[in-house]
Amino acid sequence: QGGNNAGHTVVVDSVEYDFHLLPSGIINPKVTAFIGNGVVIHLPGLFEEAEKNLKKGRGLEGWEKRLIISDRAHIVFDFHQAADGIQEQQRQEQAGKKRKTNKNLSEAILPSRFKVLANQYKAIYPTLEIDIEGELKKLKGCVERIKPMVRDGVYFMYEALHGPPKKILVEGANAALLDIDFGTYPFVTSSNCTVGGVCTGLGMPPQNVGEVYGVVKAYTTRVGIGAFPTEQNNEIGELLQTRGKEFGVTTGRKRRCGWLDLVLLRYAYMINGFTALALTKLDILDVFPEIKVGVAYKLDGEIIPHFPANQEVLNKVEVQYETLPGWDMDISNARTFDELPVNAQNYVRFIEMELGVPVKWIGVGKSRESMIQLF
């Protein structure tokens, strides 16, 4: 779901890749990568991303032969992004603030359609400048390269599900709280980044969804403005930010950081029904003598059982914390659960107990080798 406004950093064999549109599985030569209909694709961006990552390591060689794109996926043009920039400017002038946005819309690349669409945009945004011929020329080269990758995505998925048994891993782009329907509206993206996106964004029937893995950091972060009850606007937040290298992969903006928010996690669990969790970046907490976990929200002194839909209410809640002892040692070399210090083990078990969801993986570093598997 989404588009190249989202970003993932993937580290394999000490090589750090930055992905925005390309599925992370593209670096495995045995994997067929598929971009579904729920993604908006900026064609020059796709090729730029591939070129950049090709320079980093050998993992991406031959990527064009391993990538399939749904013919129902949409295209985003430069002028959509420029128009979105103008809208954002207008919003900022009204609100005096910034937020992360998706710059998207869609049309097919037919010169006649493209010109009509571009002229419509120019009429709406008088300050918008569009080099129609220049952009069409640039897109023409992209079209030739992309054509062999485009297939009927629904039929492709149907065959994958009903042919010889295959392992199918679906990768979501954005966090659950950025979901357009269930996220912290209006600070959301334009698509469903909860588990429902598997059905809407890929055309996969619900009965085919098996395990659902929630990926969560050992603390909480947020890009841009919006309510953030467990935020630590202090030395703790700064330490999490610097130790965790918390910058947006796409925007480069510093992420806001705070203690783990279990109210938020419970809410994500309600919508997604996680069968297991991957708890990442546990090593970032190595230096804290004590670690707090947000376990409940109070509103006017009363504990509320749900996660508020309203931003104003969310801004008002008071967080109830449990304080756990830290482990105060480097855990980045641990490769089994037993190698973790007792307090780190207890932190993981506390999260499992509070949520009622088992932790299947624990991340203690950036590389794949730094992932402890529990079962």
Side-chain angles (χ1 to χ4, degrees):
Q1 79 274 327
N4 59 329
N5 63 308
H8 288 176
T9 303
V10 178
V11 181
V12 184
D13 296 333
S14 307
V15 181
E16 198 168 296
Y17 300 93
D18 286 339
F19 291 133
H20 302 272
L21 282 166
L22 289 170
S24 300
I26 197 86
I27 38 191
N28 185 331
K30 295 179 186 153
V31 165
T32 302
F34 175 58
I35 295 178
N37 57 283
V39 179
V40 286
I41 300 170
H42 181 252
L43 289 178
L46 179 72
F47 292 111
E48 276 166 34
E49 182 182 329
E51 297 305 318
K52 261 188 201 165
N53 285 295
L54 266 169
K55 289 176 188 154
K56 294 181 174 183
R58 301 191 55 172
L60 239 74
E61 279 174 14
W63 69 274
E64 292 186 42
K65 304 249 183 331
R66 301 199 295 276
L67 182 65
I68 291 168
I69 300 172
S70 168
D71 58 357
R72 288 174 174 83
H74 290 286
I75 292 160
V76 60
F77 297 126
D78 289 354
F79 66 75
H80 288 130
Q81 299 184 330
D84 200 67
I86 293 169
Q87 283 182 331
E88 183 68 2
Q89 192 69 41
Q90 290 165 351
R91 276 196 293 264
Q92 279 172 35
E93 281 159 14
Q94 284 162 0
K97 288 184 173 177
K98 287 187 177 184
R99 81 162 182 259
K100 178 180 178 175
T101 60
N102 261 11
K103 303 177 175 182
N104 66 23
L105 242 168
S106 67
E107 270 294 341
I109 308 186
L110 288 170
S112 56
R113 277 202 203 175
F114 182 87
K115 283 173 186 170
V116 169
L117 192 69
N119 286 320
Q120 281 173 347
Y121 265 69
K122 281 170 105 164
I124 300 167
Y125 305 102
T127 57
L128 189 63
E129 289 173 25
I130 307 173
D131 174 10
I132 293 179
E133 295 308 322
E135 199 163 333
L136 274 172
K137 200 172 157 188
K138 190 165 71 172
L139 289 164
K140 200 170 177 236
C142 292
V143 171
E144 296 311 310
R145 283 182 76 182
I146 213 94
K147 258 185 187 163
M149 302 178 210
V150 179
R151 291 218 212 142
D152 186 301
V154 173
Y155 186 63
F156 171 75
M157 281 310 300
Y158 180 82
E159 281 198 305
L161 290 163
H162 294 87
K166 290 180 179 63
K167 280 186 178 169
I168 299 174
L169 177 68
V170 179
E171 174 186 34
N174 291 307
L177 268 285
L178 291 175
D179 186 279
I180 191 163
D181 295 320
F182 299 105
T184 48
Y185 192 87
F187 309 105
V188 293
T189 189
S190 58
S191 54
N192 289 108
C193 8
T194 39
V195 75
V198 175
C199 306
T200 56
L202 282 177
M204 190 191 275
Q207 72 203 48
N208 292 110
V209 177
E211 302 290 329
V212 180
Y213 299 127
V215 181
V216 62
K217 289 175 191 163
Y219 50 96
T220 304
T221 64
R222 176 166 196 128
V223 169
I225 59 168
F228 185 171
T230 63
E231 181 174 15
Q232 296 301 298
N233 214 342
N234 51 29
E235 286 168 13
I236 291 165
E238 277 177 36
L239 195 52
L240 288 168
Q241 202 276 326
T242 49
R243 279 184 61 79
K245 298 186 174 56
E246 294 294 349
F247 294 94
V249 180
T250 306
T251 59
R253 266 188 290 164
K254 276 187 180 182
R255 292 195 186 107
R256 296 155 64 196
C257 299
W259 296 121
L260 186 65
D261 187 337
L262 286 180
V263 183
L264 229 160
L265 264 188
R266 271 189 218 110
Y267 174 67
Y269 174 51
M270 283 176 207
I271 311 163
N272 294 288
F274 305 128
T275 49
L277 289 181
L279 183 70
T280 66
K281 299 184 106 164
L282 188 63
D283 56 308
I284 305 305
L285 300 178
D286 285 355
V287 297
F288 293 95
E290 56 176 41
I291 297 160
K292 289 186 175 184
V293 181
V295 290
Y297 289 170
K298 276 184 169 176
L299 193 62
D300 305 323
E302 302 263 319
I303 286 179
I304 51 171
H306 58 276
F307 181 80
N310 187 312
Q311 277 287 310
E312 279 135 43
V313 174
L314 198 54
N315 271 318
K316 274 193 271 191
V317 298
E318 186 193 331
V319 182
Q320 197 169 314
Y321 289 101
E322 284 271 344
T323 305
L324 302 167
W327 43 92
D328 215 12
M329 63 179 282
D330 180 357
I331 61 167
S332 61
N333 292 318
R335 292 296 174 264
T336 64
F337 188 70
D338 291 339
E339 285 173 22
L340 290 172
V342 172
N343 286 348
Q345 293 183 17
N346 291 345
Y347 184 72
V348 175
R349 295 298 183 217
F350 179 78
I351 294 165
E352 287 183 322
M353 196 178 65
E354 285 283 318
L355 287 177
V357 182
V359 171
K360 188 177 170 91
W361 295 279
I362 302 167
V364 293
K366 278 168 131 181
S367 69
R368 289 198 172 187
E369 301 74 55
S370 308
M371 195 56 83
I372 297 168
Q373 188 165 337
L374 275 74
F375 59 89

